[in-house]
Amino acid sequence: MFTISFIPAFKDNYIWLLTLGQRAAVVDPGDAAPVLARLEADGLRLESILITHHHADHQGGVAALLERWPAEVFAPASESITGCSRPLRGGETIEVLGQAVRVMAVPGHTLGHLAYLAPGALFCGDTLFGAGCGRLFEGSPAQMAASLDRLAALPEPTLVYCAHEYTEMNLRFALAVEPDNPDLRARVTLVAARRAAGLPSVPSTLAEEKATNPFLRCGEAAVIAAALQQAAPDRSKTAIFAALRAWRNNF
Ligand code: ZN
Ligand code: FE
């Protein structure tokens, strides 16, 4: 299995770097410069590029990387992705640095959004964040709620490698939803300490997300009650999710 580290990009993006010896793959290289610098510094050869969705902060560096390295580009078939050589729809198993990686369709943030599942490690782009989830730019609340359900059904120790450092902001919202959740309060303290020390808040585990992420807790009484206060029309998971997402958009 490859080793996972991160390359910071832009204001709050993480480009995940997978390495096995001198072989490398990257997930969502929105910017090529920091990736090229890291590959150079560590003497790595780029073999594979994994793209979760079409937004520029996730694929903007692909063209420049391909000028330097003949890498294969795994990406959503239904989205416009520079240099895509391996179009995917979800359900496939691909090989990345000799490791089998499962491809999951997780529509919501965008319609073709993919997540990549290696043993114990989920690369979920802008679908699931630390204590939050992506905005619905293209999909419906029902689609996103179903996508999050499928991610939440993965093994609890799975590490969640999302694409942005949004956790502290998301935790403030989560506390507004569930002020009495003790796991959430503990996570706020933990994440504040990590960020103060200059460390990323991610990856988290799915177990942590299920205990503290309101968007994975649409069946919990406290979350339902909070969403009903925000004018959720009924207690269905989709209605609760939609009310939370709308609330978060204006938070
Ligand atoms: Zn995005
Ligand atoms: Fe993004």
Side-chain angles (χ1 to χ4, degrees):
M1 170 79 173
F2 43 71
T3 297
I4 304 168
S5 60
F6 67 91
I7 300 170
F10 308 117
K11 186 167 143 273
D12 51 34
N13 281 70
Y14 290 124
I15 299 169
W16 297 106
L17 172 68
L18 322 179
T19 59
L20 184 72
Q22 300 313 116
R23 303 167 64 191
V26 286
V27 184
D28 285 353
D31 191 5
V35 176
L36 290 168
R38 176 72 175 275
L39 295 171
E40 179 76 24
D42 292 358
L44 300 169
R45 296 187 310 269
L46 184 66
E47 283 183 14
S48 305
I49 298 172
L50 279 63
I51 302 293
T52 61
H53 67 292
H54 66 86
H55 289 156
D57 63 311
H58 297 256
Q59 66 151 329
V62 173
L65 290 175
L66 291 178
E67 278 174 27
R68 173 69 182 81
W69 298 100
E72 42 184 2
V73 179
F74 298 93
S78 64
E79 299 192 351
S80 173
I81 310 286
T82 306
C84 176
S85 57
R86 300 289 302 273
L88 302 167
R89 296 193 177 278
E92 302 91 344
T93 298
I94 62 174
E95 198 181 297
V96 179
L97 307 181
Q99 176 67 58
V101 171
R102 260 177 65 197
V103 183
M104 300 173 71
V106 285
H109 179 69
T110 67
L111 286 173
H113 201 300
L114 300 175
Y116 297 95
L117 180 68
L122 174 70
F123 301 95
C124 51
D126 289 354
T127 298
L128 177 62
F129 289 130
C133 74
R135 282 175 187 263
L136 304 182
F137 284 116
E138 298 174 15
S140 66
Q143 280 176 315
M144 186 62 141
S147 293
L148 293 174
D149 265 354
R150 295 181 51 240
L151 297 182
L154 297 172
E156 293 207 330
T158 303
L159 292 165
V160 179
Y161 293 90
C162 61
H164 289 273
E165 180 60 63
Y166 287 162
T167 314
E168 280 192 300
M169 211 181 346
N170 287 336
L171 284 170
R172 283 199 285 279
F173 174 71
L175 268 183
V177 179
E178 282 191 285
D180 300 325
N181 178 336
D183 294 323
L184 181 52
R185 295 185 156 279
R187 189 174 185 189
V188 168
T189 306
L190 190 86
V191 166
R194 285 190 65 84
R195 297 303 293 147
L199 298 169
S201 68
V202 291
S204 57
T205 63
L206 262 182
E208 281 179 273
E209 295 306 331
K210 287 164 78 171
T212 59
N213 187 327
F215 296 99
L216 298 186
R217 296 171 59 76
C218 294
E220 296 292 322
V223 175
I224 292 171
L228 289 172
Q229 292 258 315
Q230 298 292 320
D234 60 68
R235 294 164 171 264
S236 70
K237 212 171 205 180
T238 300
I240 300 301
F241 174 81
L244 285 182
R245 189 56 257 182
W247 182 8
R248 174 67 178 86
N249 290 348
N250 300 310
F251 189 74

PDB file of all heavy atoms in Angstrom, residues 53 55 57-58 109 126, ligand 1:
ATOM      1  N   HIS A  53     -13.608  15.729  -9.436  1.00  0.00           N
ATOM      2  CA  HIS A  53     -14.639  16.492 -10.156  1.00  0.00           C
ATOM      3  C   HIS A  53     -13.998  17.642 -10.907  1.00  0.00           C
ATOM      4  O   HIS A  53     -12.811  17.920 -10.754  1.00  0.00           O
ATOM      5  CB  HIS A  53     -15.753  16.955  -9.215  1.00  0.00           C
ATOM      6  CG  HIS A  53     -15.340  17.964  -8.198  1.00  0.00           C
ATOM      7  ND1 HIS A  53     -14.477  17.674  -7.157  1.00  0.00           N
ATOM      8  CD2 HIS A  53     -15.659  19.281  -8.054  1.00  0.00           C
ATOM      9  CE1 HIS A  53     -14.302  18.758  -6.419  1.00  0.00           C
ATOM     10  NE2 HIS A  53     -15.003  19.753  -6.943  1.00  0.00           N
ATOM     11  N   HIS A  55     -14.120  20.990 -11.028  1.00  0.00           N
ATOM     12  CA  HIS A  55     -13.798  22.362 -10.615  1.00  0.00           C
ATOM     13  C   HIS A  55     -12.295  22.644 -10.741  1.00  0.00           C
ATOM     14  O   HIS A  55     -11.467  21.773 -10.505  1.00  0.00           O
ATOM     15  CB  HIS A  55     -14.287  22.608  -9.182  1.00  0.00           C
ATOM     16  CG  HIS A  55     -15.783  22.675  -9.091  1.00  0.00           C
ATOM     17  ND1 HIS A  55     -16.477  22.412  -7.930  1.00  0.00           N
ATOM     18  CD2 HIS A  55     -16.719  22.954 -10.036  1.00  0.00           C
ATOM     19  CE1 HIS A  55     -17.786  22.546  -8.163  1.00  0.00           C
ATOM     20  NE2 HIS A  55     -17.946  22.862  -9.429  1.00  0.00           N
ATOM     21  N   ASP A  57     -10.122  24.204  -9.033  1.00  0.00           N
ATOM     22  CA  ASP A  57      -9.203  24.006  -7.911  1.00  0.00           C
ATOM     23  C   ASP A  57      -8.889  22.522  -7.688  1.00  0.00           C
ATOM     24  O   ASP A  57      -8.119  22.172  -6.796  1.00  0.00           O
ATOM     25  CB  ASP A  57      -9.739  24.652  -6.622  1.00  0.00           C
ATOM     26  CG  ASP A  57     -11.041  24.046  -6.121  1.00  0.00           C
ATOM     27  OD1 ASP A  57     -11.980  23.906  -6.941  1.00  0.00           O
ATOM     28  OD2 ASP A  57     -11.123  23.703  -4.926  1.00  0.00           O
ATOM     29  N   HIS A  58      -9.457  21.654  -8.525  1.00  0.00           N
ATOM     30  CA  HIS A  58      -9.182  20.213  -8.433  1.00  0.00           C
ATOM     31  C   HIS A  58      -8.470  19.663  -9.665  1.00  0.00           C
ATOM     32  O   HIS A  58      -7.823  18.627  -9.589  1.00  0.00           O
ATOM     33  CB  HIS A  58     -10.487  19.442  -8.171  1.00  0.00           C
ATOM     34  CG  HIS A  58     -11.105  19.823  -6.867  1.00  0.00           C
ATOM     35  ND1 HIS A  58     -11.051  19.029  -5.743  1.00  0.00           N
ATOM     36  CD2 HIS A  58     -11.734  20.967  -6.485  1.00  0.00           C
ATOM     37  CE1 HIS A  58     -11.636  19.652  -4.737  1.00  0.00           C
ATOM     38  NE2 HIS A  58     -12.061  20.838  -5.168  1.00  0.00           N
ATOM     39  N   HIS A 109     -22.276  17.525  -5.140  1.00  0.00           N
ATOM     40  CA  HIS A 109     -21.480  18.748  -5.331  1.00  0.00           C
ATOM     41  C   HIS A 109     -21.400  19.043  -6.832  1.00  0.00           C
ATOM     42  O   HIS A 109     -21.673  20.152  -7.279  1.00  0.00           O
ATOM     43  CB  HIS A 109     -20.106  18.539  -4.713  1.00  0.00           C
ATOM     44  CG  HIS A 109     -19.172  19.696  -4.855  1.00  0.00           C
ATOM     45  ND1 HIS A 109     -19.352  20.894  -4.194  1.00  0.00           N
ATOM     46  CD2 HIS A 109     -18.038  19.854  -5.585  1.00  0.00           C
ATOM     47  CE1 HIS A 109     -18.360  21.719  -4.514  1.00  0.00           C
ATOM     48  NE2 HIS A 109     -17.553  21.117  -5.359  1.00  0.00           N
ATOM     49  N   ASP A 126     -14.794  17.067  -2.794  1.00  0.00           N
ATOM     50  CA  ASP A 126     -15.661  18.058  -2.136  1.00  0.00           C
ATOM     51  C   ASP A 126     -17.024  17.460  -1.786  1.00  0.00           C
ATOM     52  O   ASP A 126     -18.035  18.176  -1.776  1.00  0.00           O
ATOM     53  CB  ASP A 126     -15.865  19.287  -3.044  1.00  0.00           C
ATOM     54  CG  ASP A 126     -14.606  20.136  -3.164  1.00  0.00           C
ATOM     55  OD1 ASP A 126     -13.614  19.850  -2.475  1.00  0.00           O
ATOM     56  OD2 ASP A 126     -14.634  21.099  -3.956  1.00  0.00           O
TER      57      ASP A 126
HETATM   58 ZN    ZN B   1     -15.516  21.657  -5.947  1.00  0.00          ZN
END
